[in-house]
Amino acid sequence: HDDNVRDIGMKEKTVSLMERRLKISEKKMEKGEMKRIDYLDDMIEISKERIALLALRAATETTERSLSILLGIPFGEAISEIAE
């Protein structure tokens, strides 16, 4: 679980950096310093990273839910009890 939480944090930072880069690319494209196709490629890459982030979050929640079921405790409490 800790690995997934760390991975989610890293993926969030990656997406954040890519969003900033995309804004810069958009300005470059508007000034004619960048081709539209290159800007669209950047948009595709950030979309892939966002999808990967959502998949990672879903996998983490699934793991937590499975753990809760196995331990017979309400969802969300399993991780709290392990952390203590």
Side-chain angles (χ1 to χ4, degrees):
H1 179 266
D2 290 340
D3 290 342
N4 283 357
V5 171
R6 186 190 72 239
D7 291 346
I8 288 172
M10 291 180 67
K11 189 66 73 175
E12 287 172 339
K13 288 177 184 176
T14 299
V15 168
S16 178
L17 289 170
M18 291 179 84
E19 286 171 345
R20 285 189 240 157
R21 181 177 161 217
L22 186 65
K23 287 179 185 178
I24 293 168
S25 294
E26 183 178 18
K27 289 178 182 179
K28 285 183 175 182
M29 184 192 64
E30 289 171 354
K31 292 179 181 178
E33 298 173 1
M34 180 180 212
K35 293 181 183 178
R36 182 167 175 80
I37 190 73
D38 294 331
Y39 173 74
L40 294 174
D41 284 340
D42 288 348
M43 286 182 70
I44 290 168
E45 290 305 313
I46 194 170
S47 296
K48 288 178 183 178
E49 286 297 317
R50 287 178 179 150
I51 290 168
L53 176 58
L54 290 172
L56 193 53
R57 286 180 178 158
T60 301
E61 288 185 25
T62 300
T63 301
E64 289 176 4
R65 191 171 302 116
S66 296
L67 185 58
S68 294
I69 291 168
L70 287 171
L71 296 175
I73 56 178
F75 178 65
E77 290 182 23
I79 301 306
S80 301
E81 289 186 20
I82 291 171
E84 295 173 357

